[in-house]
Amino acid sequence: MTVDRRWLWLALGLLLGSVALNVVLARRAGERPAAAAPPPAPAERARRVVARESYPTIPEIGVRPERSVHERAGAAGDGGADELSLRRDILCDLAIENTRLRWEERRDEVLDVLRQQLADWEKQKRNTVIKVAEVQRLLGLTNGEALALYDGYANVRNQRVGAVRTYLAQDPPDWTQAFDQVSNLYTDQEQIVRDRFGETRARKLHDAEREERLVLLSIMATMAGRPLDDALRQ
């Protein structure tokens, strides 16, 4: 599923506890918001959210082991490096919790944005073409290979996006089913690339979409009341 990039970067800013969502909502309300601080670099974002220095990163194990603050404090003791890592862990946990609260407070706005995106079926069709073109450039596919990818991807994407639209149109929306459909769409997409072009290209696509996938699934996991680990494992 392709999400308006303005919304995607808005969500990414919130993942780090920024005020990006407040900026957009303030504009919609005709207010003058305070300036937002510039976001950290991508490597720094990834380190803060998942790496936590002393743990393997997502490509290595999928998700870091969770430990309570008390367990981490006991492990840190008085060591300088461990103490610094503990403090970073605590700040990361606070930032993530603050982000979840911000998303939850704006549940209606999140739902409104996604419903608007999904309701425009012609735009979704165009987004399918745009997505295939992006994958073509990323993987260095020929025009013939891109056409073959489109043939395999378009129907799968239409089915998944259509299901998400149906689940989010319900009252109340079924965020759990919508999360599963989006997660499965990323899996389907990688499998199509794997079947046609091999594991190396499928892995390259997975790595390139890590940030987008994490942000979108984290939002939907929050709306569904699911742990963020469900998004981190994807």
Side-chain angles (χ1 to χ4, degrees):
M1 184 175 69
T2 301
V3 178
D4 186 284
R5 290 191 177 277
R6 176 182 54 186
W7 178 251
L8 183 61
W9 286 111
L10 165 75
L12 179 61
L14 272 180
L15 188 63
L16 301 172
S18 79
V19 296
L21 184 54
N22 290 336
V23 171
V24 172
L25 296 180
R27 285 176 181 168
R28 291 169 66 176
E31 300 172 0
R32 185 178 181 83
E44 178 68 6
R45 289 197 296 266
R47 184 191 62 76
R48 292 183 186 179
V49 176
V50 293
R52 311 295 177 84
E53 285 201 349
S54 58
Y55 297 103
T57 56
I58 281 181
E60 294 171 319
I61 63 169
V63 63
R64 73 173 182 87
E66 289 297 334
R67 298 188 295 170
S68 71
V69 171
H70 294 297
E71 288 173 330
R72 284 175 286 176
D78 296 326
D82 285 343
E83 176 65 21
L84 182 59
S85 178
L86 168 62
R87 292 176 184 178
R88 286 175 175 155
D89 273 5
I90 292 172
L91 287 176
C92 286
D93 290 343
L94 290 173
I96 290 172
E97 182 58 27
N98 179 61
T99 298
R100 289 185 66 107
L101 291 174
R102 286 171 178 265
W103 282 337
E104 289 169 353
E105 289 169 357
R106 290 155 177 80
R107 182 179 297 270
D108 290 343
E109 286 84 352
V110 172
L111 180 61
D112 179 59
V113 169
L114 290 177
R115 280 176 170 171
Q116 288 182 34
Q117 291 292 313
L118 296 170
D120 189 341
W121 198 242
E122 289 303 315
K123 182 175 182 178
Q124 288 300 320
K125 290 180 180 178
R126 292 194 299 273
N127 285 344
T128 301
V129 176
I130 292 171
K131 183 67 174 182
V132 171
E134 290 175 348
V135 174
Q136 179 184 14
R137 288 193 296 271
L138 174 69
L139 302 183
L141 304 181
T142 65
N143 289 339
E145 289 173 328
L147 287 173
L149 174 62
Y150 179 87
D151 289 340
Y153 177 64
N155 288 337
V156 171
R157 185 183 185 281
N158 289 342
Q159 292 173 5
R160 295 293 189 192
V161 171
V164 173
R165 180 173 59 175
T166 297
Y167 287 127
L168 294 187
Q170 296 176 6
D171 188 16
D174 192 334
W175 286 101
T176 295
Q177 290 294 335
F179 174 96
D180 289 339
Q181 290 295 323
V182 174
S183 175
N184 288 336
L185 176 57
Y186 281 111
T187 301
D188 292 342
Q189 175 182 288
E190 289 175 19
Q191 189 59 51
I192 290 170
V193 171
R194 183 176 292 107
D195 291 343
R196 283 167 170 72
F197 310 118
E199 180 62 34
T200 299
R201 280 173 162 173
R203 188 70 225 183
K204 185 174 183 179
L205 176 62
H206 178 90
D207 292 344
E209 293 192 328
R210 182 181 294 110
E211 191 171 88
E212 171 189 321
R213 183 174 59 250
L214 175 61
V215 172
L216 182 56
L217 291 178
S218 294
I219 292 174
M220 302 192 78
T222 298
M223 299 300 106
R226 298 171 67 153
L228 287 181
D229 280 2
D230 287 358
L232 292 173
R233 291 191 180 98
Q234 302 304 314

